[in-house]
Amino acid sequence: MSQAGEAAVVGRRERKKLVTRAAIRQAALRLALRHGVENITVEQIAVEADIATRTFFNYFSGKEEAVAAAAAAGAEALIAGFRARPATESVLRALRQAALALIDHDAATSRDYIRAIQLIRRTPSLLPHELAVLAAQEKALADAITDRLQPGAGPAVTDIYPALCAATALTALRVVLGRWLEHAGPDETPPMAILRREIDHAIADLAAGLDRPGVTPAP
C-alpha cells in the first residue's frame, strides 16, 4: 500500500474513533439527563450508543467520565475555532470571535455543553471528572496560544503567558457561563443575547488588565 493509501486508512480509522467517542458521550449525557447519573449503567450507555460494552471501555473508564466528556466537547470546539481564526488577530480577539461563533453557529454543541455543565453542578460525583476536563482544556488552549504566537514552537516555549492566558480566559468564560445560567431555571436556557454581552464584558476586562488601583484612605 502506498503512503497515501496508508494515510487514508489511518485517517478513516481516526475519524471513526471520533464518531464513536461522540456517540458514547452523547448517549451518556442523554441518559444522565433523563434518569440521573446514579441511576444509569455503562451497559445502558452502550445500548444507547449502539456499541458493545467492551467498546465503551476503550474510550472511557466509567459512566461519570463519559458524562463529563460532554462538557469537554464545547471547549474542544472553542479551541478548534480559536486555531482557525486569522493569524493577524490578537489572542483575546481570536478567543472572543471563536466563542461567539460557537454560540451562533454550533447550536448542538452549545446545547450539549450547557446541559452537561448544569448536570455537573447538581451531581457531586461528576466534579472530580470535571477538574480533569478543565486541566486538559487549559493545556490544549495554552498549546494553541503558543502556536499562534510562535508557530511551530510547540510546548518547548517556556514563557508563562500561554498557560496563564489559557487558565485566565477559560476561568473568565466559566464565570460568564455561571452568571448567564443564573438567569433561568435548572433546565432552561437563558437568552443568548445575555451570554454574548457577558462574553464581551469579560474579554474587555481581560484585555484592559485585571489590576486596579487601591483606595486611598480618607484623612
Side-chain angles (χ1 to χ4, degrees), residues 54-136:
R54 65 178 179 277
T55 301
F56 175 95
F57 290 106
N58 290 335
Y59 295 87
F60 299 105
S61 63
K63 60 183 182 180
E64 290 86 0
E65 184 183 1
V67 173
E76 290 168 2
L78 173 66
I79 294 168
F82 173 82
R83 285 187 175 278
R85 296 300 305 172
T88 54
E89 290 183 350
S90 70
V91 170
L92 290 180
R93 177 168 178 77
L95 189 62
R96 172 190 178 273
Q97 295 302 108
L100 295 180
L102 180 62
I103 293 170
D104 290 340
H105 304 302
D106 198 342
T109 297
S110 298
R111 183 178 63 251
D112 284 352
Y113 176 72
I114 292 165
R115 288 175 174 174
I117 291 298
Q118 290 173 317
L119 182 62
I120 287 170
R121 289 186 170 205
R122 60 179 186 263
T123 310
S125 65
L126 293 178
L127 293 179
H129 299 278
E130 182 191 25
L131 293 177
V133 166
L134 296 179

